[in-house]
Amino acid sequence: MYKRDQHYNEKISTENLYKELDTHYNGETDLVRNLMSYAITDELIETRQELAVANEELWSLNDWPEGEGFGSSDHYDYDRRIQESIAFERKFLQAENELVQINKLTESPKNDTVRKYMAMNDKIAEGLVA
């Protein structure tokens, strides 16, 4: 039976998330690291994978001009992006797990298959609400 790498997807303590941030993301700018730290503190991030998702969402900020300010509206916007990206990641992993369980797969389904399954579930949910 297929088993996803739990090291990246298991919930870990806030303390361990900060250790991951300090160990694996020390090459990022202070801005990126600060926003990732806030996301950990606000408990938006629960796993190593979600930390990586947040980093991917913030990566472009490594080029943020030093002289240009980063205000509360910017912070709010990137915080929202992190939340949306992590919500999608959790939904994707849940759908992937459902496909593995339903079909008794021995390996992870293809990305397109998982996305089609997610879209189908969204259509069904829309029908139930209407």
Side-chain angles (χ1 to χ4, degrees):
M1 187 105 210
Y2 168 75
K3 186 161 175 125
R4 187 181 309 122
D5 184 357
Q6 292 302 313
H7 175 76
Y8 293 104
N9 294 301
E10 69 184 350
K11 290 183 181 181
I12 60 174
S13 69
T14 300
E15 180 182 322
N16 285 335
L17 284 167
Y18 280 117
K19 287 179 185 175
E20 289 286 322
L21 179 62
D22 290 340
T23 303
H24 300 290
Y25 299 96
N26 56 2
E28 304 295 338
T29 62
D30 287 344
L31 176 58
V32 171
R33 290 176 42 79
N34 284 338
L35 290 171
M36 290 174 73
S37 179
Y38 286 130
I40 293 169
T41 300
D42 293 342
E43 298 180 350
L44 302 177
I45 297 172
E46 297 178 342
T47 69
R48 290 172 182 90
Q49 176 65 21
E50 291 173 1
L51 191 62
V53 167
N55 179 254
E56 187 174 318
E57 191 61 53
L58 299 171
W59 195 78
S60 65
L61 291 177
N62 282 312
D63 295 329
W64 190 269
E66 277 192 37
E68 189 173 325
F70 193 86
S72 60
S73 61
D74 296 312
H75 180 93
Y76 175 80
D77 183 49
Y78 279 94
D79 194 48
R80 179 190 52 76
R81 290 182 190 191
I82 290 170
Q83 289 179 47
E84 289 173 358
S85 295
I86 289 174
F88 180 84
E89 179 72 13
R90 288 176 182 167
K91 186 176 176 181
F92 183 91
L93 291 174
Q94 178 183 345
E96 181 183 58
N97 189 48
E98 288 173 10
L99 283 171
V100 167
Q101 297 296 323
I102 291 167
N103 298 300
K104 296 179 177 33
L105 301 175
T106 57
E107 60 184 38
S108 180
K110 292 184 179 186
N111 187 302
D112 287 347
T113 302
V114 177
R115 288 178 181 266
K116 286 177 186 174
Y117 179 72
M118 290 169 67
M120 179 189 72
N121 284 339
D122 289 344
K123 291 268 188 208
I124 290 170
E126 286 175 19
L128 294 174
V129 172

